[in-house]
Amino acid sequence: MRYNEISHFSHPQHILKFEHTEIPFRCDGCREVGIGSHYRCSFCDFDLHMHCAIPSLSIYHPFYTKCSFQFFSRPPGDIPRYCNACEKDITGFVYHCKSCGFDLHPCCAKLPMVLDDGEVKLYLYRKVRAPCHRCGRKGRSWSYRSGCKKYNLHVACVREMLVENWHELYFGHDKGSTRKLETRIPSLKNTLETPHKRSKGKVKKCCEMAGLALQFVISAVLGDPTALIAGVIGSLMSRA
């Protein structure tokens, strides 16, 4: 459910208003990057993902059938905690299972099990045997895999890619910055091209489909899987 305005315990001094932006922001709840639909206090430059602004008190996840995750405004306990989905540190809002000790960022906990635009369908897996198209490794974190099983991306790798490019994404919107971003991710483009020989047309089509798959995953990880924001997310993708 979406509201135009909300009050939130983490920012009681002002009302937060619903906004949609193509400029990345840092969520003041989970401390992770976001884009698209969110709640914001323009007076204080305070932003919350949709999932952080209107959290569930408790959730269940199909990957952890024996777990009950409770919402916490800060990581419980005194030891450092990490997200079991993306393997990044937990520094803010979190869903935590007391019995198993598992932790999930709010946006990771709400990642869609299936991303589908009618042409490309991606499925979320806890583990896959195929290597990630970004890092080339297997079984590192949750992964999105295409229905044709040709494309596989770790959630952790997508998050790392976003962090690596955070400053360029936030401050660079001119053509020079876009070109810089495109040259920052050559490894993704190279790994999308399969090692055996193909015709130029097939390679181009393969890269375009893989780029679209990446766009879906980035949108989901940023907390707004329904909005494919081509202006910014497109600068993260390297196409043939």
Side-chain angles (χ1 to χ4, degrees):
M1 184 177 293
R2 197 201 83 185
Y3 303 94
N4 291 328
E5 295 181 345
I6 63 169
S7 58
H8 200 272
F9 67 88
S10 65
H11 194 71
Q13 57 269 44
H14 295 116
I15 293 294
L16 304 182
K17 295 184 178 181
F18 174 83
E19 289 189 5
H20 187 91
T21 178
E22 296 184 3
I23 301 175
F25 61 86
R26 179 75 70 183
C27 176
D28 290 285
C30 66
R31 312 293 182 186
E32 296 297 321
V33 66
I35 203 168
S37 300
H38 67 293
Y39 284 93
R40 174 174 174 79
C41 172
S42 56
F43 297 107
C44 304
D45 193 24
F46 183 92
D47 301 277
L48 290 176
H49 287 121
M50 297 290 289
H51 296 313
C52 292
I54 311 175
S56 304
L57 294 179
S58 63
I59 63 169
Y60 295 90
H61 199 280
F63 288 167
Y64 306 100
T65 56
K66 297 181 180 180
C67 294
S68 175
F69 291 90
Q70 310 297 316
F71 176 80
F72 288 83
S73 59
R74 60 175 59 88
D78 299 323
I79 62 173
R81 312 201 68 86
Y82 72 94
C83 176
N84 287 89
C86 70
E87 296 189 337
K88 282 197 65 182
D89 291 340
I90 300 287
T91 58
F93 292 0
V94 62
Y95 284 106
H96 173 74
C97 176
K98 294 181 180 178
S99 60
C100 299
F102 294 146
D103 299 279
L104 297 173
H105 287 120
C107 285
C108 289
K110 300 297 180 71
L111 283 172
M113 298 302 293
V114 181
L115 295 171
D116 183 9
D117 81 325
E119 293 185 16
V120 178
K121 186 174 288 189
L122 304 170
Y123 298 89
L124 185 64
Y125 289 85
R126 184 176 176 182
K127 290 182 180 180
V128 295
R129 295 181 180 179
C132 171
H133 280 87
R134 166 96 162 114
C135 70
R137 289 178 286 178
K138 303 177 183 179
R140 185 184 173 198
S141 71
W142 293 7
S143 300
Y144 273 107
R145 193 178 193 187
S146 62
C148 65
K149 298 183 180 180
K150 292 181 180 179
Y151 317 119
N152 173 47
L153 285 167
H154 287 141
V155 171
C157 288
V158 176
R159 280 208 176 277
E160 284 181 1
M161 183 166 53
L162 294 170
V163 171
E164 288 171 3
N165 291 278
W166 166 252
H167 291 290
E168 289 87 348
L169 275 171
Y170 193 81
F171 296 109
H173 295 287
D174 55 49
K175 294 182 180 179
S177 297
T178 300
R179 286 196 296 269
K180 183 178 180 182
L181 271 172
E182 290 174 349
T183 59
R184 281 287 300 277
I185 318 174
S187 59
L188 181 62
K189 178 180 177 181
N190 293 338
T191 53
L192 290 177
E193 297 184 14
T194 53
H196 57 275
K197 292 183 179 180
R198 289 188 175 189
S199 67
K200 291 183 179 179
K202 288 183 177 180
V203 169
K204 182 176 181 180
K205 181 64 175 177
C206 176
C207 291
E208 287 178 351
M209 296 296 288
L212 185 58
L214 172 60
Q215 190 174 4
F216 288 147
V217 177
I218 290 176
S219 296
V221 171
L222 287 170
D224 194 359
T226 60
L228 300 178
I229 305 162
V232 177
I233 295 175
S235 67
L236 276 172
M237 300 189 317
S238 216
R239 296 206 176 198

